[in-house]
Amino acid sequence: MDLRQLRYFVAVARERNFTRAAEMLHIAQPPLSRQIQLLEEELGVPLIIRKSRPVRLTEAGRLFYEQSLQVLGRVEQMVEATRRVGLNQNRVL
């Protein structure tokens, strides 16, 4: 699992549509679908109900979505804090 897969999953969950999520991410739809499929295989559970339109999240998918938002938010905080320290805008205590 990597951050790219988390970002892809969050995009699909937000858009509730693989095609729109792929457009938003500026990638083709088949690679997006494949990355979500690989993520589900790694986790061993389905995250998305594909047979419905718009697509829906499973119960596990809803939990994973909330956790993914937290992880990605924390990564963004880490990046910004690191940049500030690197630019001498903050001191590490």
Side-chain angles (χ1 to χ4, degrees), residues 16-18 48-58:
R16 299 180 65 185
N17 182 287
F18 279 89
I48 296 172
I49 300 169
R50 291 164 172 79
K51 293 180 181 181
S52 70
R53 296 289 179 253
V55 296
R56 293 183 301 132
L57 298 179
T58 63

Side-chain angles (χ1 to χ4, degrees), residues 1 6 10-12 22 26 28-29 33 39 44 49 51 56 58 60-61 63-64 67 70-71 77 81-82 92:
M1 177 182 326
L6 293 182
V10 165
V12 172
H26 306 290
Q29 187 268 326
S33 294
L39 182 60
I49 300 169
K51 293 180 181 181
R56 293 183 301 132
T58 63
L63 173 68
F64 195 76
Q67 296 293 313
Q70 291 178 21
V71 167
Q77 290 173 351
T82 301
V92 176

